[in-house]
Amino acid sequence: MKGVKDGDARRWVSTVWRRLKWPLLLAGVLLCVGAIVVAGMVPGLLNGPKSVPPPPAWQQGPSQLSDVNSVLPLGDDAPLPVPAELARLLNETLKPDGTGSITGVVMDASTGEVLFDREADANRIPASNMKLLTAVAALKAMGPESRFTTRVLASEDPSTVVLTGGGDVLLGAGASDSSAVMGRAGLGSLALDTAAALTSAGVKGPINVQVDDSLFSGAPLNPAWSPDDVAAGETAPLFSLALNSGRYSPSVTTGPRPQDSAVTTAQAFAGQLAAAGVQVSPGVERGKGIPTNVLASADSATVAEQVDLMLESSDNFLAEALGRMTAVASGGEATYDGATAAVRQRLGELGIATDSMQLADVSGLALENQVSAKQFAEVVRAITSGPDLALRTALDGFPVAGLTGTLDDRYVDAGTAEGAGLVRAKTGTLNTVIALSGYVVDADGRLLVFSFIGNGLQPGAAGNKVAMDRSASVLASCGCRG
């Protein structure tokens, strides 16, 4: 070191060494320990490279795309329940509480093999299980992504606008809500768009509001329905546009309903038009607009979304509206008879025998309906496993045991809890009728479809729903191999 004496240099080096020797020694120890650990973790690291076996097949990416063109059931190679063992278990649970009888069937979803059969071909009153037929017919006829459009048309009289129904009975009173099913199209938004169109055309008030509900024809009320059910609000006269699925409020799902949903909807639209700053004449009447002169329009939720809502909440009014729209899409008349004919037609196209069916409505309120448990199981199988993938969109609509829809307050006791969260099924309830049709993956991973229908039951007997739920829970927990 230039300018530094030898003694000073030696002292400087000694000082630096004293300060650095322990950190350097510690680093060396750590490097040695690290080398030993790595050598232990990776055998052969210090003895040269060795070949590493490839990962198992299930960890590797596919070498080519699958050529399967349909969605297959879960556990296609899982063992089937032994029919004799399944019958032994179900015969213990599938018993009426008092009078009446219960028919039923269990089928393997993949093969269609019948695993349990108790008068499965016998015609029965199915109650709201009818909505399963309506669901597949609507999806088959219109497609899952179709929407219904409500329009405001100009009339030959410039001071008149015509609210025109397009089959959407889930209109909301306020602004359109793109995240909703009920209320996807809102009268508030329609009114604002109409007001803007009138201003642009230089039309000033007062404006007359009319309504065109001619898309649906025939009687608004089905003569097969009990007047007591109508009075109780189970359904209402049907028109081609309605607020809140034919109710005064979306949050009130019982009690009286509007008896003319078309006029009620038009009155609400007139109120929204006035709130948008348009001078509106009092009163609403029926009329016709000019189809090519659209002032405003709003689209409904998709058919798939409406089908799911219908199944989950068992909405009779919505079911009948979807039935009428299925008739329109099938080239028939949008009447009650047209709806049942269209449902029968679409089921036939799916290969489901309909000759023995008797269809008086498409919601299940009519006691004249007659459908077998086997036919319902075949419909459920078409949804879960059939070749028409459009029907898969109905899967989300099935209520989940103990969690959603009409099954949210069931499967809560010890006898049925094994099915909670696993059983997915459409319910059906009338005075002397209880039905349950759906699907479940059993304990071995086999997808099963089932239908249980009780007729002539003692009204109000709590054990009948329990019998259905316990039987479905048997399927959920079943290995059933004897």
Side-chain angles (χ1 to χ4, degrees):
M1 299 170 112
K2 187 176 180 180
V4 179
K5 296 180 180 179
D6 291 343
D8 293 336
R10 286 193 294 272
R11 284 192 296 271
W12 180 82
V13 171
S14 177
T15 301
V16 171
W17 170 246
R18 285 197 305 270
R19 291 179 179 177
L20 294 180
K21 67 178 179 179
W22 292 114
L24 289 172
L25 288 172
L26 180 59
V29 170
L30 290 175
L31 286 172
C32 291
V33 172
I36 293 170
V37 171
V38 171
M41 292 176 63
V42 186
L45 179 65
L46 300 181
N47 299 321
K50 291 186 177 180
S51 61
V52 178
W58 58 269
Q59 286 185 341
Q60 301 179 38
S63 58
Q64 63 182 17
L65 294 177
S66 171
D67 59 359
V68 175
N69 58 10
S70 63
V71 178
L72 296 177
L74 294 174
D76 197 40
D77 58 349
L80 279 169
V82 174
E85 178 64 10
L86 192 58
R88 183 186 71 80
L89 294 170
L90 290 178
N91 286 334
E92 287 298 315
T93 59
L94 203 59
K95 298 176 180 179
D97 182 2
T99 60
S101 62
I102 302 175
T103 61
V105 66
V106 179
M107 298 170 63
D108 176 51
S110 177
T111 64
E113 180 180 345
V114 175
L115 305 172
F116 172 78
D117 182 338
R118 182 193 290 176
E119 297 182 83
D121 289 315
N123 264 353
R124 309 287 276 178
I125 304 168
S128 281
N129 273 206
M130 278 295 300
K131 295 181 178 70
L132 289 170
L133 311 188
T134 307
V136 297
L139 291 167
K140 181 76 174 173
M142 294 179 281
E145 298 304 316
S146 295
R147 300 177 187 268
F148 311 145
T149 303
T150 305
R151 295 178 173 86
V152 181
L153 303 180
S155 175
E156 293 181 357
D157 178 357
S159 64
T160 298
V161 298
V162 184
L163 181 66
T164 304
D168 186 0
V169 298
L170 301 178
L171 291 165
S176 297
D177 184 352
S178 61
S179 65
V181 179
M182 187 178 296
R184 177 69 59 89
L187 297 183
S189 296
L190 266 176
L192 286 173
D193 292 345
T194 302
L198 291 172
T199 299
S200 178
V203 178
K204 299 181 179 179
I207 297 297
N208 302 308
V209 174
Q210 296 182 347
V211 62
D212 181 358
D213 60 352
S214 60
L215 179 63
F216 292 175
S217 54
L221 267 181
N222 192 325
W225 292 337
S226 163
D228 292 338
D229 286 337
V230 177
E234 293 295 331
T235 192
L238 187 67
F239 298 89
S240 60
L241 70 168
L243 284 166
N244 314 313
S245 198
R247 292 197 179 276
Y248 289 107
S249 168
S251 62
V252 179
T253 58
T254 58
R257 294 172 177 254
Q259 295 303 292
D260 190 332
S261 62
V263 168
T264 300
T265 304
Q267 289 170 339
F269 173 72
Q272 291 287 359
L273 202 56
V278 176
Q279 185 181 358
V280 179
S281 299
V284 168
E285 59 185 22
R286 283 178 165 84
K288 291 282 187 180
I290 302 173
T292 58
N293 198 343
V294 180
L295 300 175
S297 66
D299 289 337
S300 71
T302 65
V303 167
E305 291 169 325
Q306 294 188 57
V307 162
D308 286 348
L309 177 62
M310 172 192 69
L311 293 177
E312 185 174 4
S313 61
S314 201
D315 190 318
N316 295 316
F317 193 88
L318 177 57
E320 295 296 341
L322 288 171
R324 296 284 188 103
M325 295 304 289
T326 300
V328 171
S330 302
E333 294 185 357
T335 63
Y336 286 112
D337 288 343
T340 56
V343 168
R344 188 186 297 273
Q345 172 191 336
R346 298 300 176 171
L347 291 175
E349 291 172 1
L350 290 170
I352 297 171
T354 64
D355 291 347
S356 63
M357 289 182 180
Q358 298 177 31
L359 306 182
D361 70 10
V362 297
S363 61
L365 273 178
L367 292 173
E368 287 85 349
N369 291 318
Q370 293 281 318
V371 185
S372 72
K374 186 175 182 181
Q375 287 165 328
F376 280 115
E378 288 173 342
V379 167
V380 176
R381 184 173 173 240
I383 294 172
T384 64
S385 316
D388 190 338
L389 299 187
L391 304 187
R392 297 287 191 278
T393 56
L395 289 172
D396 286 343
F398 282 74
V400 181
L403 295 175
T404 65
T406 53
L407 287 180
D408 65 347
D409 59 351
R410 291 164 63 170
Y411 294 81
V412 294
D413 59 42
T416 60
E418 286 183 320
L422 300 176
V423 174
R424 303 197 64 156
K426 179 70 195 77
T427 58
T429 306
L430 291 172
N431 195 33
T432 61
V433 176
I434 291 181
L436 190 71
S437 300
Y439 63 97
V440 65
V441 177
D442 73 7
D444 284 332
R446 196 83 190 187
L447 180 62
L448 308 176
V449 299
F450 65 90
S451 178
F452 306 133
I453 308 175
N455 276 193
L457 303 175
Q458 181 178 331
N464 289 317
K465 285 185 179 179
V466 173
M468 301 280 181
D469 295 347
R470 286 183 64 195
S471 299
S473 295
V474 163
L475 301 181
S477 60
C478 187
C480 299
R481 284 171 281 167

